[in-house]
Amino acid sequence: MMTQASARTLLIRGARVFDHDGDIDDPPIRDVLLEGSRIVSVTAPGADAEVKGGVPDVIEARGKLIMPGFVNAHYHSYDVLAKGLLEDMPFDVWALHSQPAYFGRRSKAELRVRTLLGALECLRNGITTIQDMNSLVPQDEETLDTILCGYAEIGIRVVFSIALRDVAALDIAPFLPADMPEDALAIVRGAPKDPKEEIAFVERQIKRLHPLPPRLTWGLSPSGPQRSSRVLLEGFADLARRHELPVFTHVYETKAQTAKARAIYGDHGGSMIRHLADIGLLSPRTTIAHGVWLTPDEITLMAEHRTGIAHNPISNLKLKSGVAPMAMALRAGVNVALGCDNCSCGDCQSMFQAMKMFCLLAAVTDASPTGVHARDAVKAATLGGARAMGLQGEIGAIRAGMKADLVIIDLDDVAYQPLNSVARQLVFSEVGRGIETVIVGGDVVIRERRVMTIDEQALRDELASLMPQFRRDFARIAKANDPVIPYLFAANERLKSHSVGINRFVCT
Ligand SMILES: [Zn+2]
């Protein structure tokens, strides 16, 4: 009782409150009362929300909109400092410039700064939950702890997963020219790992860091099925069952990965999805990132197994991966979440960009109505993400009893003038400019555009002091890996005429 009485209370008064099942064009005005980390009540104005535990802190929010915090369901924090450094590269060429293995050990200061900076960008855009699929380099406890401490400090909600792979082969390797010299091959070859040791490392961390700080939870991530041995995938399936954790993995991001699936999963008709089903990983706990090259049959199978998709429309386009069949997935009843992916292949952590592209890209095949509307985009960016995170019923909507993960948006912004439809203007007009206040688990992390949990100027100063070294390293890696690039482009050319049975590029 004492803890209840002393829990912080916060009353947000007089805002329009978005309800997925209510009037999403013209949401009604409500008072929202928060206590501790949760929403206590959503009531009509003047109904005097019953406040226990003393006089609440009050945010007067007339003329504002309260949205559930957005869920960025696919994100990697390792390349935050490479934002804006790359463009016009297909996936495999981009990977040469961005993968953490090439960068090796980074300073603790850099790990902390990149974690905070990426989280701050998300928060400023109204994202209250991220799924950070992170490759730890080196894979040790100090690296992990530094990143998790950064997240605890800034106050964003994170489902954190350590990305693992044990198969070293490059996805596009079968298409590389036969005359590729050995020194160029050595750059992309990688080294295989022991799957049992890899799984044991993850389980040790889950046990060592239990419980995690508030707002942090675990996810599990084989980097991609084709980069994982059967033993590694079975290890993940076992961990997911025993610890009841969500699983996130890259599936069919590129045509090269699809070609590889056709070659190595002969037992399953060349299907990565059927291979996952065989291992027990095609489950309601699993969300696949991208799914650009899914076939209609595989989408049906995913719906049957209640396996979800994290759709990353911006990075799919920036890395020339193709257009994901998301209208088909939505119609099949697959849970669709939205992600913004890496900072060096999307360059912007914005669910507004993702929501808009989700709707617009559904129309690339023909001019018929797509059925992918603003309502679906907002749902994917909130409830769909919550379901993918394994946090359904906890986040994604503004209801009594749910976590207080909220965003207050200024409806005086020109994006909402005139106010014809809140849902459509959020998806098609908002660019992030209207976001004023962001609350995560009842804590006000951004208040009237000012971040409360960290010193933003100090972060910028520290970033500036780290960037000369980062830029030198980035240039050194780009130069060292440069000899591989012509061979990767040649492989991409050979891939063009190779059939995988479907096409995900728009034909002209
Ligand atoms: Zn990814």
Side-chain angles (χ1 to χ4, degrees):
M1 288 304 287
M2 279 306 288
T3 30
Q4 276 229 326
S6 60
R8 291 159 297 115
T9 54
L10 174 62
L11 180 64
I12 312 170
R13 200 149 51 192
R16 290 171 178 271
V17 174
F18 191 94
D19 177 350
H20 299 285
D21 302 323
D23 186 342
I24 60 170
D25 297 316
D26 187 22
I29 290 170
R30 295 283 182 260
D31 291 342
V32 179
L33 181 66
L34 316 180
E35 190 174 309
S37 65
R38 292 190 184 269
I39 299 165
V40 173
S41 63
V42 182
T43 50
D48 287 335
E50 194 191 339
V51 180
K52 296 171 194 157
V55 180
D57 190 5
V58 175
I59 295 178
E60 294 293 350
R62 198 183 310 269
K64 321 277 185 197
L65 167 72
I66 308 180
M67 286 299 296
F70 295 108
V71 180
N72 184 355
H74 189 62
Y75 170 69
H76 307 272
S77 66
Y78 55 74
D79 62 345
V80 165
L81 303 192
K83 184 193 301 172
L85 280 172
L86 302 167
E87 68 181 312
D88 202 15
M89 291 176 173
F91 176 89
D92 298 280
V93 176
W94 162 78
L96 268 187
H97 295 81
S98 60
Q99 289 311 291
Y102 292 122
F103 285 77
R105 179 188 289 276
R106 311 307 297 169
S107 69
K108 274 180 80 171
E110 187 180 307
L111 292 175
R112 176 177 170 275
V113 162
R114 77 183 194 195
T115 303
L116 292 178
L117 187 67
L120 180 60
E121 184 184 353
C122 289
L123 287 162
R124 284 220 173 274
N125 280 326
I127 294 164
T128 50
T129 298
I130 53 178
Q131 201 278 295
D132 185 5
M133 189 192 290
N134 212 318
S135 314
L136 302 180
V137 178
Q139 193 166 287
D140 63 19
E141 292 176 356
E142 187 182 42
T143 304
L144 175 62
D145 292 352
T146 305
I147 295 166
L148 294 182
C149 282
Y151 282 135
E153 182 183 348
I154 199 164
I156 197 166
R157 191 177 300 287
V158 186
V159 180
F160 189 87
S161 59
I162 301 167
L164 298 182
R165 61 179 297 172
D166 63 336
V167 174
L170 203 65
D171 297 334
I172 203 166
F175 296 91
L176 288 168
D179 64 348
M180 189 165 166
E182 180 55 32
D183 55 345
L185 259 178
I187 292 170
V188 290
R189 186 176 281 133
K193 293 196 173 135
D194 181 327
K196 294 214 160 113
E197 277 178 24
E198 295 294 289
I199 290 287
F201 175 79
V202 170
E203 185 154 33
R204 268 202 311 281
Q205 304 318 310
I206 292 170
K207 288 180 174 163
R208 180 176 69 91
L209 299 172
H210 183 78
L212 283 169
R215 298 179 295 267
L216 303 188
T217 52
W218 287 110
L220 299 169
S221 285
S223 168
Q226 81 284 5
R227 301 167 191 155
S228 307
S229 67
R230 189 173 182 102
V231 173
L232 188 75
L233 292 176
E234 285 174 348
F236 272 115
D238 175 56
L239 275 186
R241 269 191 300 270
R242 285 192 289 111
H243 295 277
E244 300 186 348
L245 294 175
V247 178
F248 309 96
T249 186
H250 296 102
V251 170
Y252 290 145
E253 178 170 0
T254 66
K255 188 178 176 186
Q257 293 169 11
T258 314
K260 183 148 192 195
R262 301 291 184 269
I264 65 177
Y265 302 130
D267 291 353
H268 299 293
S271 166
M272 210 180 283
I273 294 296
R274 289 181 191 280
H275 179 64
L276 283 175
D278 182 31
I279 284 167
L281 275 174
L282 201 70
S283 82
R285 284 191 208 293
T286 299
T287 295
I288 65 159
H290 302 286
V292 175
W293 291 79
L294 287 164
T295 66
D297 282 356
E298 288 174 321
I299 288 172
T300 305
L301 195 63
M302 286 182 65
E304 284 167 11
H305 285 75
R306 295 193 293 127
T307 302
I309 297 178
H311 176 40
N312 302 279
I314 299 287
S315 69
N316 290 346
L317 292 178
K318 191 153 183 264
L319 297 181
K320 309 165 191 295
S321 301
V323 178
M326 285 304 111
M328 201 190 294
L330 203 63
R331 279 197 290 272
V334 173
N335 182 61
V336 177
L338 297 176
C340 305
D341 212 351
N342 295 69
C343 286
S344 69
C345 69
D347 304 67
C348 184
Q349 299 304 317
S350 167
M351 301 304 287
F352 301 110
Q353 290 191 355
M355 287 193 291
K356 188 166 182 171
M357 291 303 283
F358 175 44
C359 292
L360 301 186
L361 278 176
V364 292
T365 45
D366 63 58
S368 311
T370 64
V372 183
H373 294 178
R375 174 194 293 274
D376 305 298
V378 174
K379 274 192 176 170
T382 53
L383 292 172
R387 160 85 172 72
M389 299 304 110
L391 294 172
Q392 60 271 39
E394 288 282 277
I395 60 170
I398 304 167
R399 305 252 161 79
M402 291 178 79
K403 290 281 188 196
D405 288 11
L406 309 173
V407 181
I408 303 177
I409 296 175
D410 179 16
L411 293 175
D412 284 344
D413 186 89
V414 286
Y416 303 98
Q417 297 295 321
L419 189 61
N420 291 318
S421 161
V422 160
R424 286 193 204 102
Q425 284 164 271
L426 264 173
V427 171
F428 298 119
S429 313
E430 176 64 90
V431 292
R433 206 172 42 223
I435 290 171
E436 284 189 345
T437 294
V438 179
I439 299 170
V440 188
D443 291 326
V444 182
V445 178
I446 293 178
R447 187 157 194 161
E448 291 170 17
R449 303 179 189 273
R450 197 167 151 247
V451 62
M452 309 299 287
T453 47
I454 60 163
D455 180 340
E456 193 170 357
Q457 183 58 51
L459 177 65
R460 278 197 294 271
D461 292 345
E462 201 173 357
L463 173 67
S465 75
L466 291 167
M467 282 310 289
Q469 181 67 49
F470 179 82
R471 289 198 181 99
R472 274 196 299 277
D473 292 345
F474 183 87
R476 174 179 50 78
I477 291 156
K479 190 167 175 225
N481 291 354
D482 189 63
V484 187
I485 292 175
Y487 298 102
L488 289 176
F489 276 116
N492 265 303
E493 279 305 309
R494 291 178 69 193
L495 188 59
K496 277 186 193 170
S497 55
H498 180 86
S499 173
V500 294
I502 48 170
N503 180 40
R504 294 289 175 242
F505 294 109
V506 179
C507 295
T508 53

